[in-house]
Structures are given as structure tokens and as C-alpha cells.
Amino acid sequence: MVEIGENSEFDKLKNNLLRDSKHGSKIMDEKQLENIDVFCQEYKHFLDKGKTEREVVKESLVLSEKFGFKKFDHNINYKAGDKIYHVNKNKDIVFAVIGKNKTKNGVKVAVAHIDSPRLDLKPNPIYELNDIALFKTHYYGGIKKYQWFAIPLALHGTVFKKNGESVDICIGESEEDPQFCVSDLLPHLGRERMKKSISEVFLGEDLNILVGSRLLASEKGVVGSKNEIGLVKLNILKILNENYGITETDFLSAELEVVPAFKARDLGFDRSMIGAYGHDDRVCAYVSLMGILNCEDVEDTVITVLVDKEEVGSGGNTGMNSSFFRYFIEDLAKQDGVEARHVLSNSKCFSMDVNAAFDPNFPSYYEINNSCHLNRGVVVTKYTGTGGKSGSSDASAEFMAQVRCLLDKNNVIWQTGELGKVDGGGGGTVAKFVANLNLEVVDVGVPVLSMHSPFEIVSKIDVYSAFLASKAFFKNF
Ligand code: MN
Ligand code: MN
């Protein structure tokens, strides 16, 4: 018989044998919760300032300079305590704090991606139909197309002109700015359409952005002959030319991204959550950035990599599968008189990315024991993948043991996670591309509700726990 009651054998067994995953507010005191609010206030600003990978690179660079980070120069011989940043093609940024051991024992790397699902303008975007001007788009990353109809949108990006100049564009964010929208069919006329499956009715080619409806006019009235067509399009091009000096052909040498126009906001009566566009994966980008900016006196060199193109498979010269990160390590290793391959093979990585939080609105899509949950802290995901772990790097048991000890020792609230039900779908992260370089790597991140939607949700306790995890990783691993 097992004795039951307070401090009983039953309690001891419970404490010793059962896995413990508690709601963060059971563990955190009022002071900590206050710190969390302050931290998340800054995080919300970061989200509002960086809605594209280029903007996040710029904003991160500005923040890092305040903490004494300097531009990397491979000709400089860096010493312990030096803080550097290195930008790759305006879409990736790497930060490093040189440790006392330099790269000799390997380095500690946190990687997060700064691209998010969105609508990209096509190279030839502008057209006119029945006196309405629109932009054609090609969506980027995994979106549920219906979520992008009838919401306020903003246009962000950079245009490179024929004369070599470039112009940054950001329209729809300030109060005075106009905004954009994809129109949706009214329910009154949707009867036939509603009978079809969702993938049949919401098509990529229908994600066209309304950009204008007034005819080109001079002081004397409408320009051109009575039956002239294309006057709305021409008027839009005239406005763009007046404001930005661009022509229709310049869209070819541009990267213009259409993103939700709303700002990051507290969510819920208790303000426990944040709703925003782009938590995936700017939440991990922010915590891994803050982790390294607050680093001093480290033993091994620590590195944060903010990387582009994760949402489309990490390809291209700015994706994690490109060589820019390996080249950076090669530069550091060379200074220290060691081989880059030895540095990489001795290195450890937190692949910091979000996981799908258990959604009370859709419980049947989750396996409740292995899903992550809002407010239970940073989530450690041993493997990702689709249909039988396909495409996953699967962290080793050895490494998982080190990670859980680290988090426990540093009082970081953490939980385990798996992406939904087996055979329910799946996904991947940059972990496998890091693993290709022979580092030890595991996915560590923040649970997210409504992932890949225009308005994703995270819990503030989890955001802060992820920050504490990145700090502990850099300082104490
Ligand atoms: Mn992600
Ligand atoms: Mn994603």
C-alpha cells in the first residue's frame, strides 16, 4: 500500500518520477512577470520595425551597435571580448562575441530565421481591369490563402533603378499612409463557390492587391481620348514615379513584399499574449539577438545567425543551406590557427524556431501529451519532419541530455514539443542544414498559435523563457 497525503510517499513518488511541465505563472514571481512585460514591449517594437528580412537585418544592426558590436573585417585579428557583426547580402546577419578559447573548442551558435510568409510582387505586377488597378503577387512560404483576403496590407521593400540608385519603400504603416487589400467575394454571391473545397476556391492567382481606381487626369480633366484604357494604371505609375522615381520596368529589379499592416498588440484581458505578424520566426530572432547582445566574458566564442529563406526551404545564397555561415567560421578558425571543420564538429547549436502550440479551438489535430502549450516555457523539439520524421535531423539523446541539464540548472521554464499528430502533416527547420556541417543541433523555440497566419499569437512567458534559454546557452553551456 502507498501512503497518501501531504509529504507522503505518494507525493515523493510524484515529484521524483513524473515529468513536470507547469504553467509559467506558477513558477514566476511578480517581479519576473514585470520584467517579462518590459522585455515584450521592446519585442513588439522590434516586430513593428522589421516586417521583412532586410528590415530585420537593419534593425538588428542598429541595436547591436548600441551594444558595441563592430563590422567584421577578416583582416583583423580578433581577441577575447571583441564583438562583431557580419552582414551577408543585406538579408542575413551574423553576430559573434569572441570567447577566451576563441574557436579552439568549437563555438556556440543560435540560428533563427527572419523571413516570414507573405505576398511578393511579381516582376511585372501592375495591371488594370475595368478601371481598377491591381498588383499581381506570388505568395512566399506556406500560407492559407483565404487568410489574406479582406485584411489591411502594407507594402515594404527595395527597388533598384536602372541608374544604380536604390529606393526603400514602406507604405501602409504610419497613420497617414494609404493601405492595400485583396478584395473578397461577398457571401451573398458566394453560394456556388462555397460548395467547392477550400483549395479550389482560394487560388494563388486571385491574390491581387487593389492599388488604385482613379483615372489619370491633368488640370483640364481626364487625359487621352474618350475610350482610352489603362488610365488608372498609368496614374498609379505616375504617382510612383513622382514619389520614388521608378518606372514599370524597375519592378523587375525590386523586392517588394506585401505584409499585414497591423501592429503587434497585447492580446487578452490579462495581456498575457502578443498578437502580431511574423512571430515565426522573429520571436526567436529577437531572443537570440538579445541573448548575444547581453553577452560578456564568454569562454567559447558565441554566435547568433539571423537567416533568410527558411520558409522556402533554406536555399539561395541567403538561406542556411548557403556557404556564408561556413565561410564566416573559416575566417575565424584561420585566425586561431585551427581547421574550420574541427571547429564546426566541436560546436553546438540551438536552431531557434517556433513550434505549434496546442490550440483549444482545434484540439483533435494535436497529440496532447507531445504538443507544446502556451505558457509552459521554451519548447525543446527533438525532431521535426513529415510522415515518419522525413527531413528531420533528430537531435541525439546525448545532446538532449546536455540541453535539459542546462535549462534545469539555469531555472529556465521549458517543455517538449512535437509538431501535431503523426501523419497529420509536419514541417522542418534550419536544424538539418546546420547538422550537415556536423554540429550538435536541436530545435529550441516558442510555441505559437495560428502559425503562418497574418496574425500569429505567442505567450509573453514563453518569449521570455526563450530569451533566458538563449542567455543560458551562450553563458553556461
Ligand atoms: Mn519558422
Ligand atoms: Mn514557418
Side-chain angles (χ1 to χ4, degrees):
M1 275 285 250
V2 176
E3 180 196 348
I4 296 175
E6 225 166 288
N7 298 318
S8 63
E9 195 184 340
F10 177 72
D11 271 3
K12 272 185 235 154
L13 284 174
K14 254 180 26 180
N15 289 338
N16 292 337
L17 300 183
L18 292 180
R19 187 174 57 86
D20 198 13
S21 174
K22 282 198 191 94
H23 192 291
S25 17
K26 280 190 183 166
I27 301 157
M28 287 176 165
D29 57 31
E30 215 153 280
K31 180 81 204 142
Q32 275 175 308
L33 290 170
E34 266 171 39
N35 288 342
I36 288 174
D37 266 337
V38 173
F39 185 84
C40 286
Q41 203 59 30
E42 292 303 312
Y43 169 50
K44 284 186 283 176
H45 289 153
F46 181 78
L47 282 174
D48 292 341
K49 282 184 184 157
K51 288 194 175 182
T52 69
E53 53 285 351
R54 286 175 190 266
E55 289 172 355
V56 176
V57 165
K58 274 188 196 160
E59 180 58 17
S60 310
L61 197 158
V62 168
L63 286 173
S64 79
E65 284 181 331
K66 286 183 191 158
F67 283 80
F69 280 69
K70 301 244 159 59
K71 192 177 173 193
F72 175 64
D73 177 349
H74 63 265
N75 294 312
I76 295 175
N77 222 324
Y78 289 101
K79 53 183 193 314
D82 283 345
K83 299 169 171 186
I84 48 182
Y85 67 80
H86 176 52
V87 175
N88 177 46
K89 297 177 170 56
N90 299 321
K91 296 180 206 170
D92 303 308
I93 187 162
V94 184
F95 302 91
V97 177
I98 307 298
K100 292 181 190 113
N101 305 321
K102 297 192 158 187
T103 59
K104 286 178 184 128
N105 301 337
V107 296
K108 288 182 271 185
V109 196
V111 187
H113 68 92
I114 51 176
D115 59 321
S116 294
R118 60 180 189 250
L119 308 178
D120 284 345
L121 292 201
K122 290 192 184 193
N124 192 16
I126 186 161
Y127 73 106
E128 176 180 332
L129 190 64
N130 210 27
D131 294 341
I132 305 257
L134 302 107
F135 277 164
K136 295 294 298 177
T137 66
H138 193 139
Y139 63 93
Y140 172 98
I143 62 164
K144 287 166 97 176
K145 289 161 204 149
Y146 72 85
Q147 294 176 335
W148 290 77
F149 291 81
I151 60 165
L153 299 167
L155 182 69
H156 292 233
T158 304
V159 183
F160 290 84
K161 298 186 249 184
K162 210 175 171 184
N163 63 8
E165 283 173 15
S166 74
V167 57
D168 288 339
I169 290 179
C170 178
I171 311 168
E173 297 292 346
S174 86
E175 283 299 311
E176 315 82 62
D177 279 357
Q179 295 182 331
F180 308 96
C181 188
V182 181
S183 61
D184 199 1
L185 189 68
L186 62 168
H188 316 65
L189 300 182
R191 211 170 290 164
E192 280 308 306
R193 195 172 146 86
M194 299 286 227
K195 287 178 190 158
K196 295 184 188 160
S197 78
I198 209 161
S199 60
E200 282 173 309
V201 290
F202 294 101
L203 305 174
E205 286 298 349
D206 293 341
L207 289 166
N208 304 312
I209 316 287
L210 285 188
V211 297
S213 63
R214 203 169 275 182
L215 304 176
L216 179 69
S218 69
E219 280 157 27
K220 292 174 196 149
V222 171
V223 177
S225 69
K226 207 175 151 198
N227 298 319
E228 194 93 43
I229 54 164
L231 288 181
V232 184
K233 169 177 166 174
L234 204 54
N235 192 38
I236 299 301
L237 285 169
K238 183 171 167 266
I239 293 168
L240 287 173
N241 190 262
E242 281 165 3
N243 289 320
Y244 304 102
I246 59 176
T247 64
E248 189 174 12
T249 316
D250 291 330
F251 283 112
L252 177 65
S253 48
E255 280 169 5
L256 292 165
E257 307 179 6
V258 179
V259 296
F262 25 76
K263 302 220 178 315
R265 296 292 293 260
D266 283 352
L267 213 71
F269 290 115
D270 58 4
R271 295 178 174 266
S272 58
M273 297 166 281
I274 304 168
Y277 164 67
H279 284 309
D280 177 11
D281 187 34
R282 290 168 194 145
V283 65
C284 296
Y286 188 70
V287 299
S288 58
L289 175 64
M290 287 301 121
I292 200 158
L293 297 190
N294 287 289
C295 258
E296 307 270 354
D297 299 328
V298 282
E299 295 297 315
D300 299 324
T301 294
V302 299
I303 296 172
T304 287
V305 184
L306 304 186
V307 69
D308 180 32
K309 290 284 181 287
E310 193 278 339
E311 296 295 359
V312 292
S314 295
N317 54 15
T318 55
M320 198 61 212
N321 210 12
S322 113
S323 298
F324 79 89
F325 171 66
R326 187 166 53 84
Y327 293 163
F328 181 71
I329 297 293
E330 279 174 13
D331 282 339
L332 293 184
K334 199 175 160 198
Q335 297 188 350
D336 304 342
V338 289
E339 294 287 348
R341 63 176 187 275
H342 297 147
V343 174
L344 289 164
S345 299
N346 287 323
S347 294
K348 296 177 171 96
C349 176
F350 272 11
S351 158
M352 300 200 71
D353 207 341
V354 297
N355 198 332
F358 175 79
D359 190 335
N361 216 12
F362 301 98
S364 66
Y365 293 87
Y366 294 81
E367 192 267 279
I368 198 161
N369 289 322
N370 284 283
S371 291
C372 58
H373 301 262
L374 284 193
N375 289 307
R376 294 193 198 173
V378 64
V379 51
V380 182
T381 306
K382 187 174 182 296
Y383 53 84
T384 58
T386 314
K389 298 190 181 180
S390 179
S392 166
S393 72
D394 210 344
S396 70
E398 290 89 332
F399 191 50
M400 291 300 282
Q402 293 174 25
V403 171
R404 60 182 272 219
C405 286
L406 171 83
L407 298 176
D408 282 341
K409 254 191 213 158
N410 290 277
N411 299 315
V412 180
I413 303 169
W414 66 278
Q415 56 180 326
T416 60
E418 196 184 28
L419 194 65
K421 277 186 170 173
V422 177
D423 291 336
T429 64
V430 297
K432 63 177 173 182
F433 304 110
V434 176
N436 283 348
L437 298 169
N438 203 31
L439 288 82
E440 288 285 7
V441 55
V442 64
D443 282 303
V444 176
V446 176
V448 173
L449 282 177
S450 308
M451 195 197 290
H452 281 209
S453 80
F455 199 65
E456 301 177 315
I457 299 159
V458 297
S459 121
K460 291 182 179 177
I461 285 177
D462 299 334
V463 175
Y464 197 71
S465 301
F467 166 61
L468 294 181
S470 84
K471 247 175 52 171
F473 174 62
F474 287 143
K475 280 250 169 197
N476 305 322
F477 205 26

